Amino acid sequence: MSKGPISQFIEKYYLHFNSAALVDAAKAYEKQLEDGAKMMVTLAGAMSTAELGKIFAEMIRQDKVQIISCTGANLEEDIMNLVAHSHYERVPNYRDLTPQQEWDLLERGLNRVTDTCIPEHEAFRRLQKHIYKIWKDADDAGERYFPHEFMYKMLLSGVLEEYYEIDLKDSWMYAAAEKNLPIVVPGWEDSTMGNIFASYVIKGELKASTMKSGIEYMAWLADWYRDNCDSGIGFFQIGGGIAGDFPICVVPMLYQDMEMHDVPFWSYFCQISDSTTSYGSYSGAVPNEKITWGKLDINTPKFIIESDATIVAPLIFAYLLDY
């Protein structure tokens, strides 16, 4: 298929500096897939609240991503947007808000993420009612699942259908659930649903063991990596943080700690970040630093695009989808 007008525009005008890095990274990502490699995409920040699902869901449907690592916030906020979109409020002048105005948003049940407010009642509590039943059923049956597996169960059960407020094709979590796409959610406890689950554990209504842990995620990822690395696995990192830090370490763990010296390094690396390298910043470190940690090879294609992921990621995905 020939490239569409967005891709043609990118190739014609994105020629230098960060724009050129964008094109290089997109073409190398495309070549990875053409060569039979798989690709992990990691989601940090508030990419779901930024509605990345509008294009990321199509990436999933078209098999442009084979595994995802994301924060607990991104896992749940895509579903929150699905069921409560009309109740979100945009605050374009968020830089000018006073502490009193911030407090007023809280009192209205609006939790602000940069320029967007998530409605507590329609988003958090709407999910809580349904996910609690799924947690409780598993708890009572002595069953254990990963955080994303519980979310998949909720989505595929149809219990949320009455609340849908956006086109279902714009939900990346629903696209992932339909494919049963592998997801790793490190640090899930640091999320609204994670906090809610912890509250039920403290109240004695659920057992902590009903939710599989981060260590179990790493052990699962180690098996997945070994089973899928024959033609290479690339690493496409949106933002920084634990969503990227956690899964990239599976390679040095296998090589150094498990002494599996036949395990290949990540076959591609790209990070979209506006973080700078200072005071030991990992998110702002240049990719070559990862060579010293046994994550990337000398010859691994490496790209860093120092820009806003809400601008860059949709453009790269558009290129990969031939838009």
Side-chain angles (χ1 to χ4, degrees):
M1 181 184 291
S2 61
K3 294 289 184 185
I6 296 174
S7 299
Q8 291 177 34
F9 178 92
I10 290 169
E11 288 192 307
K12 181 174 182 179
Y13 295 107
Y14 282 30
L15 303 175
H16 298 281
F17 318 128
N18 277 296
S19 68
L22 183 158
V23 177
D24 293 342
K27 288 182 175 180
Y29 188 134
E30 191 169 60
K31 187 175 188 306
Q32 286 282 304
L33 297 181
E34 289 171 352
D35 291 345
K38 291 180 166 61
M39 188 66 70
M40 170 180 274
V41 172
T42 78
L43 301 177
M47 298 309 297
S48 290
T49 294
E51 298 187 67
L52 188 67
K54 284 192 166 189
I55 193 165
F56 191 45
E58 189 62 22
M59 286 281 290
I60 293 169
R61 283 190 290 269
Q62 292 197 26
D63 298 317
K64 307 291 187 182
V65 50
Q66 285 71 44
I67 184 170
I68 294 168
S69 172
C70 73
T71 57
N74 276 298
L75 189 77
E76 66 196 14
E77 287 176 10
D78 179 82
I79 307 175
M80 291 175 185
N81 182 57
L82 174 64
V83 302
H85 182 76
S86 68
H87 300 277
Y88 280 60
E89 287 192 24
R90 186 159 177 264
V91 187
N93 64 325
Y94 66 92
R95 291 182 175 87
D96 303 323
L97 295 179
T98 65
Q100 182 61 53
Q101 289 172 314
E102 301 276 22
W103 183 263
D104 293 343
L105 289 173
L106 170 66
E107 297 226 301
R108 291 175 55 208
L110 294 170
N111 302 130
R112 185 172 68 81
V113 180
T114 312
D115 70 348
T116 304
C117 291
I118 302 175
E120 179 178 347
H121 180 72
E122 293 83 2
F124 303 152
R125 303 308 168 193
R126 188 168 283 177
L127 291 192
Q128 179 179 357
K129 178 174 69 173
H130 295 289
I131 197 68
Y132 172 74
K133 184 180 186 306
I134 295 170
W135 289 339
K136 183 63 174 169
D137 288 347
D139 193 271
D140 290 344
E143 298 173 350
R144 306 178 65 242
Y145 298 99
F146 283 120
H148 76 278
E149 292 177 315
F150 280 115
M151 295 296 193
Y152 281 0
K153 285 177 182 289
M154 180 171 61
L155 282 169
L156 297 176
S157 72
V159 296
L160 298 179
E161 286 181 11
E162 62 179 294
Y163 308 116
Y164 290 172
E165 294 194 350
I166 64 169
D167 194 325
L168 196 55
K169 70 178 177 58
D170 291 338
S171 166
W172 74 261
M173 270 293 289
Y174 192 82
E178 282 193 308
K179 280 185 172 287
N180 195 27
L181 195 75
I183 302 184
V184 176
V185 192
W188 174 76
E189 301 83 0
D190 178 24
S191 67
T192 298
M193 290 300 118
N195 292 169
I196 289 171
F197 183 85
S199 75
Y200 287 122
V201 172
I202 294 166
K203 290 183 287 187
E205 296 181 33
L206 294 173
K207 295 185 290 293
S209 58
T210 297
M211 190 68 62
K212 289 189 176 181
S213 70
I215 295 297
E216 289 169 287
Y217 260 134
M218 180 59 83
W220 178 90
L221 179 59
D223 288 339
W224 185 91
Y225 192 94
R226 294 194 71 210
D227 290 342
N228 289 274
C229 65
D230 286 351
S231 297
I233 302 173
F235 199 93
F236 187 83
Q237 182 173 343
I238 299 175
I242 196 172
D245 299 352
F246 179 92
I248 202 168
C249 290
V250 74
V251 170
M253 184 198 73
L254 287 168
Y255 190 93
Q256 298 167 14
D257 303 320
M258 298 296 295
E259 299 183 351
M260 296 178 179
H261 296 162
D262 59 334
V263 172
F265 296 101
W266 294 95
S267 61
Y268 163 100
F269 177 82
C270 175
Q271 181 178 5
I272 306 167
S273 175
D274 59 2
S275 176
T276 56
T277 304
S278 61
Y279 305 105
S281 162
Y282 179 75
S283 297
V286 296
N288 280 353
E289 185 175 298
K290 293 172 175 58
I291 295 173
T292 75
W293 287 91
K295 299 166 184 174
L296 305 180
D297 198 359
I298 293 173
N299 299 315
T300 301
K302 308 172 191 70
F303 307 92
I304 186 161
I305 306 164
E306 295 180 304
S307 187
D308 185 332
T310 63
I311 298 169
V312 171
L315 288 172
I316 290 181
F317 293 161
Y319 187 89
L320 293 165
L321 293 167
D322 299 321
Y323 289 175

